[in-house]
Structure formats: C-alpha cells, structure tokens
Amino acid sequence: MPVTQSREITAASRLDNVRYAIRDLVSVADDIIKQGHKVIPLNIGDPNVFDFQTPPHMIEAVYKAMRDGKNGYAPSPGIKEALDAIRGEAARKGITSVQDVFVTNGVSETVDTCLTALLNPGDDLLTPCPDYPLYSALLTKLGIRLNTYYLNEEDGWQPELDDIKKKITPRTRGIVLINPNNPTGAVCTRAMLLQIAELARQHNLIIFADEIYDKLILDSGQTKDDEHIAIAAVAPDVPVVTFGGLSKNYLVPGWRIGWGIVSGEAATVKHYAEGIQRLLRARLCANHPEQYAIRPALEGSQDHLIEVRKKLRSRRDLTVKWCNSTARVSCVSPRGAFYAYPCIDIPEGDDVFVKELILQKHVMVVHGSGFGQKPGTNHFRIVFLPDEKTLSKAYAAIGDFISSRYR
C-alpha cells in the first residue's frame, strides 16, 4: 500500500488577529465552574439570562407562524409585512429618504453583509475606539486594515471630531457610528451627528449607523439631547445604512433578527444597495418564522420598555455610584444601553486584571483592550443587567480584589 504523509490543516492566516473579547474569556470561567464555583457573569449583554422577559405577543406571533407552516424559505430580503413594518419604524425615527430595507440573521449579519458589499482590497473604514469587537473582527476577516478614531472620555465618550478628520484618507469609504455606544453607553448629541454627517458629505463617505439600542435611552426627556436621534434623520441626503433589530429592545437576542435601512439620495446608493441584495440572495434568507414577530414588535405595545428602562436606570445608577466611590476606579455615566466602561488606574494590563478577577473572585467582566482604548489607559466593561443584589455582591468582590491587589 502507498505510504501517505499527513499534514496539519491550518486555519487561514488572515484569522490570526480575529478576536472576540466578550466570549474569549468564557473558557477561563468554564474552568472555574468545573471546580464547583459560581461565576457572576457581567460580560455578555443577554437580558434573557436575567430578569427580563420577551413580550408574550411576540412569542405568540412566532408560534402562530410556525403552526401555520411558515417554516420554509422566506424571500431573501425578508417577508413583506416585516419590511413594511421596518419602513414604518424608519418613518417614526424621522428617516425620510429610505431607498431599501432588508432583514438579516441578527445585526451581526447586517454588519457583515454591508461591509462585504462595500470594501475592496486597500480600502479602509473608520471605526470607533472603543468599539464593539465584531467590527474589527470582520475587517480583519476581509483583509481590511483597521482605521480607528477615538471617543473622548472627558467629553462623555463623544466622537473626537478632529481625530476623525485626521484619519480620513483617499481610501476611506465610510464611518461606523455606534449610537448608543457599546461598550461605553454614550449617546451622540445632535450637534455631533450634524458634524459627522458634514464630514461624510465632504468626503463622499457612507455612514453605518449601529442603533440596535435606540430605545434603551436611560435619561430620556430630561434635556433636549436625552432622546435618541437617528443620524439618517438629520442628514437625509447622506448615504446611511441604519442597523436595527429585535435582540436588545425586544429581548430576543437568540432569535437572531436584525435589519438594515438604506437611505440617502437614490442615485448615490442604488448600485451599493443592489450589491447588498446580491449577497442576501446568496445566503438564501433570514430566519423565517421569527420575522413574523417584527410587525407586532414595532407596531404593537411598547409597555415592556417602561419596566426595562426603569430597571436599567436603577442598575446604572448603582453601578456608577460604586465606580466613582471606589479607589482606582472612575466611570462616565452611560446614557443608553446596559453597559458601563470604567477607567481603572492599575500598574498592569486590564487583560491581566479581568483574568485574575475571574480566578480569584469569580466575577467576569471584559477587559477594555478587547474593545480598544487610548494608549496608556485601562478600562473594563460591565454589563449591568443583573438585579441590584447580584450587582452589589459583584461590586463588593471587585472592590476587595482591587484593594488587596493594588495596595
């Protein structure tokens, strides 16, 4: 018989820098759990793990769709009633120049599809720092160099406009704006949105507006800047893809239902929107029966949001109070979503801090370097979804860890 020599099958080299800090820590926590310890998870933004329940009318809509046989393939862009509901939602957000809408398997697929449809080798895309790590992972997968702009911690984590201006190159194709921001919880002011839109006009850029947390504004109504404002609404002429979905606002992250709203002048975005649709056809369709929850979610009762925001506001306030009363820790109060991004003054990396915190105190947060941060600073992200008793227990443990490790 011929002798064959086996060789290792290696992963593509372009994956060497693909990281997803939020879940990369789970293996460390798993080892702790196997030893019989309970870990307090402040790392993943899944409301359903805690005391948040999916609105029943959405569950009924999906159950009915399944029972009625809506279990085959859907149209690639999405079912008509879902697309109509998303257009209605765009109108409520003040987006008047909608050219196309489509449904995806979560906003992660929206991002992947839109970036893939836009970027050629050698192009770059401006992404915030800190940012949600999906963006850097996808750009690395596509072989696109990272081009990050800073958010200003001293200005409530608003984008640093001068840094954006410096980072725009002839190969820059667009700007990512995460609003409300993950991981900082910052919400952009109208003045900032107008300035970013003007830069996009001047340099012929598309804006990717990640607005998945747009209904989770925690200080709504106190000042004119406390309401969420869609950048596509204040700049109807600028090419924008607005990302939205059911996961966070409607408490169904596991359903994987997201969408994109393409707006701007028709002639400007027509070819790009056609490219998106080609990719959507290539992957067949998004989850079918779950799409039947989109219309009842967007057009039905929003009462659950009252209780959700009430809980989050209380837990946010507890979190910020702890941060700003604890030695070596400080935190800009988040105005949206359910994340806080404290700064920590320590003589070692924040990656070491979070790993040792899991090992010694069994509390899991995410290191700031996993989201990006200015050189010379250290941060960690807290998910403040758990109830106040759980948060207080976690914060007491973190405080003990800090005081004993950094005397």
Side-chain angles (χ1 to χ4, degrees), residues 312-328:
L312 293 180
R313 193 175 299 117
S314 174
R315 295 167 194 188
R316 183 274 310 270
D317 292 347
L318 172 66
T319 300
V320 173
K321 182 179 180 181
W322 173 80
C323 288
N324 291 332
S325 63
T326 300
R328 296 182 177 270

mmCIF file of all heavy atoms in Angstrom, residues 312-328:
data_model
loop_
_atom_site.group_PDB
_atom_site.id
_atom_site.type_symbol
_atom_site.label_atom_id
_atom_site.label_comp_id
_atom_site.label_asym_id
_atom_site.label_seq_id
_atom_site.Cartn_x
_atom_site.Cartn_y
_atom_site.Cartn_z
ATOM 1 N N LEU A 312 -33.047 49.280 34.276
ATOM 2 C CA LEU A 312 -31.701 49.622 33.828
ATOM 3 C C LEU A 312 -31.223 50.934 34.436
ATOM 4 O O LEU A 312 -30.043 51.077 34.782
ATOM 5 C CB LEU A 312 -31.659 49.698 32.303
ATOM 6 C CG LEU A 312 -31.865 48.383 31.543
ATOM 7 C CD1 LEU A 312 -31.798 48.619 30.041
ATOM 8 C CD2 LEU A 312 -30.837 47.338 31.966
ATOM 9 N N ARG A 313 -32.136 51.879 34.582
ATOM 10 C CA ARG A 313 -31.750 53.166 35.171
ATOM 11 C C ARG A 313 -31.275 52.974 36.610
ATOM 12 O O ARG A 313 -30.241 53.526 37.017
ATOM 13 C CB ARG A 313 -32.946 54.113 35.116
ATOM 14 C CG ARG A 313 -32.615 55.568 35.411
ATOM 15 C CD ARG A 313 -33.845 56.445 35.217
ATOM 16 N NE ARG A 313 -34.337 56.380 33.847
ATOM 17 C CZ ARG A 313 -35.539 55.914 33.508
ATOM 18 N NH1 ARG A 313 -36.377 55.459 34.427
ATOM 19 N NH2 ARG A 313 -35.911 55.909 32.245
ATOM 20 N N SER A 314 -32.001 52.174 37.374
ATOM 21 C CA SER A 314 -31.621 51.911 38.760
ATOM 22 C C SER A 314 -30.281 51.189 38.839
ATOM 23 O O SER A 314 -29.417 51.529 39.657
ATOM 24 C CB SER A 314 -32.712 51.076 39.443
ATOM 25 O OG SER A 314 -32.322 50.689 40.737
ATOM 26 N N ARG A 315 -30.077 50.224 37.960
ATOM 27 C CA ARG A 315 -28.848 49.434 37.985
ATOM 28 C C ARG A 315 -27.667 50.237 37.451
ATOM 29 O O ARG A 315 -26.540 50.074 37.916
ATOM 30 C CB ARG A 315 -29.075 48.133 37.199
ATOM 31 C CG ARG A 315 -30.121 47.273 37.881
ATOM 32 C CD ARG A 315 -30.653 46.122 37.072
ATOM 33 N NE ARG A 315 -31.875 45.612 37.713
ATOM 34 C CZ ARG A 315 -32.527 44.519 37.354
ATOM 35 N NH1 ARG A 315 -32.083 43.790 36.340
ATOM 36 N NH2 ARG A 315 -33.619 44.153 37.995
ATOM 37 N N ARG A 316 -27.940 51.109 36.500
ATOM 38 C CA ARG A 316 -26.901 52.038 36.031
ATOM 39 C C ARG A 316 -26.449 52.949 37.156
ATOM 40 O O ARG A 316 -25.241 53.143 37.371
ATOM 41 C CB ARG A 316 -27.457 52.855 34.861
ATOM 42 C CG ARG A 316 -26.486 53.838 34.169
ATOM 43 C CD ARG A 316 -26.402 55.204 34.832
ATOM 44 N NE ARG A 316 -27.667 55.824 35.094
ATOM 45 C CZ ARG A 316 -28.310 56.634 34.243
ATOM 46 N NH1 ARG A 316 -27.784 56.923 33.079
ATOM 47 N NH2 ARG A 316 -29.477 57.185 34.590
ATOM 48 N N ASP A 317 -27.406 53.522 37.884
ATOM 49 C CA ASP A 317 -27.069 54.455 38.956
ATOM 50 C C ASP A 317 -26.258 53.760 40.052
ATOM 51 O O ASP A 317 -25.296 54.336 40.585
ATOM 52 C CB ASP A 317 -28.337 55.061 39.541
ATOM 53 C CG ASP A 317 -29.053 55.988 38.562
ATOM 54 O OD1 ASP A 317 -28.437 56.346 37.539
ATOM 55 O OD2 ASP A 317 -30.218 56.329 38.817
ATOM 56 N N LEU A 318 -26.640 52.530 40.395
ATOM 57 C CA LEU A 318 -25.886 51.756 41.380
ATOM 58 C C LEU A 318 -24.455 51.528 40.906
ATOM 59 O O LEU A 318 -23.492 51.671 41.671
ATOM 60 C CB LEU A 318 -26.586 50.416 41.622
ATOM 61 C CG LEU A 318 -25.836 49.391 42.493
ATOM 62 C CD1 LEU A 318 -25.706 49.885 43.920
ATOM 63 C CD2 LEU A 318 -26.547 48.036 42.457
ATOM 64 N N THR A 319 -24.323 51.203 39.637
ATOM 65 C CA THR A 319 -23.010 50.911 39.056
ATOM 66 C C THR A 319 -22.108 52.138 39.068
ATOM 67 O O THR A 319 -20.945 52.067 39.488
ATOM 68 C CB THR A 319 -23.187 50.394 37.614
ATOM 69 O OG1 THR A 319 -23.978 49.209 37.630
ATOM 70 C CG2 THR A 319 -21.850 50.130 36.952
ATOM 71 N N VAL A 320 -22.630 53.263 38.621
ATOM 72 C CA VAL A 320 -21.829 54.482 38.556
ATOM 73 C C VAL A 320 -21.439 54.955 39.953
ATOM 74 O O VAL A 320 -20.301 55.392 40.190
ATOM 75 C CB VAL A 320 -22.591 55.583 37.789
ATOM 76 C CG1 VAL A 320 -21.844 56.916 37.862
ATOM 77 C CG2 VAL A 320 -22.789 55.169 36.329
ATOM 78 N N LYS A 321 -22.378 54.840 40.902
ATOM 79 C CA LYS A 321 -22.073 55.230 42.271
ATOM 80 C C LYS A 321 -20.933 54.383 42.833
ATOM 81 O O LYS A 321 -20.013 54.901 43.468
ATOM 82 C CB LYS A 321 -23.318 55.081 43.147
ATOM 83 C CG LYS A 321 -23.101 55.508 44.594
ATOM 84 C CD LYS A 321 -24.378 55.374 45.418
ATOM 85 C CE LYS A 321 -24.145 55.791 46.859
ATOM 86 N NZ LYS A 321 -25.389 55.643 47.678
ATOM 87 N N TRP A 322 -20.976 53.072 42.571
ATOM 88 C CA TRP A 322 -19.895 52.205 43.053
ATOM 89 C C TRP A 322 -18.571 52.580 42.389
ATOM 90 O O TRP A 322 -17.543 52.702 43.071
ATOM 91 C CB TRP A 322 -20.215 50.730 42.774
ATOM 92 C CG TRP A 322 -19.041 49.859 43.106
ATOM 93 C CD1 TRP A 322 -18.657 49.421 44.342
ATOM 94 C CD2 TRP A 322 -18.042 49.383 42.187
ATOM 95 N NE1 TRP A 322 -17.489 48.693 44.252
ATOM 96 C CE2 TRP A 322 -17.094 48.651 42.940
ATOM 97 C CE3 TRP A 322 -17.875 49.492 40.807
ATOM 98 C CZ2 TRP A 322 -15.988 48.041 42.348
ATOM 99 C CZ3 TRP A 322 -16.774 48.888 40.219
ATOM 100 C CH2 TRP A 322 -15.836 48.174 40.986
ATOM 101 N N CYS A 323 -18.597 52.746 41.089
ATOM 102 C CA CYS A 323 -17.358 53.073 40.374
ATOM 103 C C CYS A 323 -16.704 54.334 40.935
ATOM 104 O O CYS A 323 -15.497 54.355 41.218
ATOM 105 C CB CYS A 323 -17.649 53.281 38.886
ATOM 106 S SG CYS A 323 -18.039 51.779 37.961
ATOM 107 N N ASN A 324 -17.508 55.370 41.092
ATOM 108 C CA ASN A 324 -16.944 56.669 41.466
ATOM 109 C C ASN A 324 -16.694 56.814 42.956
ATOM 110 O O ASN A 324 -16.176 57.847 43.402
ATOM 111 C CB ASN A 324 -17.852 57.781 40.948
ATOM 112 C CG ASN A 324 -17.811 57.874 39.426
ATOM 113 O OD1 ASN A 324 -16.814 57.534 38.792
ATOM 114 N ND2 ASN A 324 -18.906 58.311 38.828
ATOM 115 N N SER A 325 -17.025 55.781 43.736
ATOM 116 C CA SER A 325 -16.698 55.791 45.165
ATOM 117 C C SER A 325 -15.644 54.740 45.518
ATOM 118 O O SER A 325 -15.337 54.534 46.691
ATOM 119 C CB SER A 325 -17.964 55.540 45.996
ATOM 120 O OG SER A 325 -18.509 54.259 45.720
ATOM 121 N N THR A 326 -15.090 54.090 44.494
ATOM 122 C CA THR A 326 -14.100 53.038 44.705
ATOM 123 C C THR A 326 -12.718 53.523 44.283
ATOM 124 O O THR A 326 -12.564 54.089 43.195
ATOM 125 C CB THR A 326 -14.482 51.773 43.908
ATOM 126 O OG1 THR A 326 -15.751 51.310 44.351
ATOM 127 C CG2 THR A 326 -13.452 50.669 44.093
ATOM 128 N N ALA A 327 -11.734 53.310 45.120
ATOM 129 C CA ALA A 327 -10.364 53.726 44.803
ATOM 130 C C ALA A 327 -9.910 53.097 43.501
ATOM 131 O O ALA A 327 -10.185 51.921 43.229
ATOM 132 C CB ALA A 327 -9.425 53.327 45.939
ATOM 133 N N ARG A 328 -9.226 53.879 42.683
ATOM 134 C CA ARG A 328 -8.641 53.468 41.408
ATOM 135 C C ARG A 328 -9.658 53.311 40.282
ATOM 136 O O ARG A 328 -9.299 52.959 39.160
ATOM 137 C CB ARG A 328 -7.833 52.165 41.536
ATOM 138 C CG ARG A 328 -6.609 52.278 42.454
ATOM 139 C CD ARG A 328 -5.836 50.985 42.490
ATOM 140 N NE ARG A 328 -4.631 51.097 43.304
ATOM 141 C CZ ARG A 328 -3.439 51.465 42.838
ATOM 142 N NH1 ARG A 328 -3.307 51.778 41.552
ATOM 143 N NH2 ARG A 328 -2.400 51.534 43.640
#
